[in-house]
Amino acid sequence: MIDRLDHLVLTVKDVSKTKEFYCECLQMGFETFGEGRMALTFGRSKINLHVQGKEFEPKAHVAKPGTADLCFIVQDSLEILSERLKRFNIAVLEGPVPRTGATGPITSLYVRDPDQNLVELSVYS
């Protein structure tokens, strides 16, 4: 019945810090739409951004920064990604480590975004 995930929502404290991490470091796109809405874009998906205390309705029952655990599949090698993370002063919490993705084995690096969400950056093995 379900084809794919279209978008999800992150509640953030500071949009400029979020944009720096996701757009500059991870090379996602950024768009504004509707009446003051914002989103990070990548592939055929997006992450809508809600600013803490100014969330759009309806919203999650408990919408707070730092409550997400996300996994992204990256196009570059983890070696190239590691160098990029170093240039942006992003600490790797763990990895590379073997994990299981939606369609098979992956190798992952774990970092935190500016709101302390856990971000898993992975390649299929």
Side-chain angles (χ1 to χ4, degrees):
M1 183 170 112
I2 304 296
D3 175 51
R4 64 186 162 100
L5 179 67
D6 183 78
H7 71 277
L8 57 90
V9 176
L10 280 182
T11 303
V12 303
K13 292 178 188 174
D14 184 326
V15 172
S16 64
K17 288 181 181 178
T18 298
K19 278 179 68 175
E20 181 179 353
F21 176 79
Y22 286 98
C23 298
E24 293 180 33
C25 183
L26 299 184
Q27 299 182 317
M28 290 185 182
F30 183 81
E31 69 177 27
T32 57
F33 63 99
E35 296 182 21
R37 312 253 346 223
M38 299 168 284
L40 304 166
T41 60
F42 58 98
R44 299 187 321 158
S45 300
K46 68 179 184 170
I47 299 172
N48 290 348
L49 301 177
H50 287 188
V51 176
Q52 183 180 26
K54 300 176 185 173
E55 297 89 353
F56 291 93
E57 295 291 342
K59 65 180 186 290
H61 180 69
V62 179
K64 292 186 179 184
T67 59
D69 186 340
L70 307 167
C71 179
F72 298 106
I73 302 302
V74 299
Q75 295 175 336
D76 290 329
S77 70
L78 292 184
E79 293 79 15
I80 291 172
L81 177 61
S82 291
E83 290 303 315
R84 184 168 189 80
L85 294 169
K86 284 180 191 174
R87 285 196 309 271
F88 282 88
N89 296 313
I90 306 296
V92 174
L93 303 172
E94 187 176 344
V97 292
R99 296 291 188 252
T100 302
T103 63
I106 56 176
T107 303
S108 302
L109 296 176
Y110 289 88
V111 299
R112 294 216 182 264
D113 75 4
D115 289 298
Q116 301 303 305
N117 293 301
L118 184 64
V119 179
E120 182 179 356
L121 303 165
S122 308
V123 294
Y124 270 91
S125 306

